[in-house]
Amino acid sequence: MEDTESILSLLPTRLKDARRAKELSLDAVAKLSGVSRSMVSQIERGESSPTISTLWNLTRALQVDFAGLLEDDLERRIEVLRSDSVPTIENHGTGCSIRILSPPEEAGRHEVYDLRFTLGGVLDSLPHAQGAQEHLTVIEGKLTVTSGDATESLAQGDTARYPADVVHKISADGPARAFLVVNGA
């Protein structure tokens, strides 16, 4: 939030949009928030700056994120990862390239990968956190998945869901590509 004035100038419109999205009248918001109807109207018109307490009451009444109302438009943009700038792990496994598609802050909770295998490629994994699961979808080729003592063969379009809190492995019968989602516990 570098430019406080420009961010705060968005507040009236964002509050009005939130109220309209919930199909609430000024009177309804006043009753739900404890803020007078005239004050709500003045804030929405940009004629009055709300106190933190007033803003908190309004966001609770409208069931909107307090911080979200104050974010500038740069934080509401579409983030694009161009193919040539996606982080890649080349030295994990044999004949397997791992492209990291999820944001770094999601590591350990919800991870998304694009896997590319060469003939005979293998991705061996040690157990993840207790309760972790993987969801593997084959985009091209054929893969074999082993989780603990269970093994399944997958063809293009197949999806396997399996425990990842045990030793597990993905191996390629030939060139293959897959989409992997890892959910932590």
Side-chain angles (χ1 to χ4, degrees):
M1 289 195 248
E2 293 176 19
D3 186 3
T4 306
E5 270 189 46
S6 71
I7 293 167
L8 290 176
S9 71
L10 300 172
L11 186 60
T13 302
R14 292 197 177 157
L15 280 172
K16 183 185 269 184
D17 290 346
R19 178 178 61 80
R20 288 182 174 167
K22 299 279 186 186
E23 299 180 353
L24 295 172
S25 67
L26 288 170
D27 288 324
V29 171
K31 286 177 186 167
L32 290 169
S33 67
V35 177
S36 72
R37 181 193 187 284
S38 63
M39 179 56 76
V40 174
S41 179
Q42 288 173 9
I43 293 168
E44 285 187 0
R45 291 192 314 264
E47 296 172 358
S48 179
S49 294
T51 64
I52 296 295
S53 176
T54 298
L55 187 55
W56 179 256
N57 289 337
L58 289 171
T59 57
R60 286 185 56 210
L62 294 168
Q63 298 176 344
V64 294
D65 178 44
F66 183 88
L69 287 174
L70 301 177
E71 290 175 344
D72 64 12
D73 286 335
L74 292 176
E75 294 181 35
R76 293 178 176 264
R77 61 182 163 72
I78 297 173
E79 181 180 1
V80 176
L81 297 174
R82 299 290 176 204
S83 182
D84 60 350
S85 64
V86 172
T88 303
I89 303 170
E90 298 288 348
N91 59 354
H92 192 74
T94 306
C96 178
S97 172
I98 304 168
R99 299 177 71 230
I100 306 167
L101 303 178
S102 52
E105 61 270 13
E106 291 293 315
R109 291 191 315 263
H110 184 79
E111 303 168 16
V112 181
Y113 300 99
D114 175 12
L115 305 178
R116 297 171 189 214
F117 295 89
T118 59
L119 174 64
V122 176
L123 177 59
D124 273 314
S125 298
L126 294 173
H128 302 317
Q130 183 68 32
Q133 289 233 320
E134 290 187 355
H135 306 261
L136 178 74
T137 299
V138 179
I139 297 169
E140 297 171 1
K142 295 180 181 180
L143 295 172
T144 301
V145 177
T146 302
S147 175
D149 295 330
T151 300
E152 288 290 336
S153 295
L154 305 172
Q156 183 174 326
D158 291 346
T159 297
R161 297 181 182 98
Y162 50 90
D165 56 0
V166 295
V167 173
H168 52 287
K169 174 174 74 173
I170 304 168
S171 55
D173 300 338
R177 185 168 172 216
F179 187 70
L180 178 67
V181 176
V182 182
N183 289 319

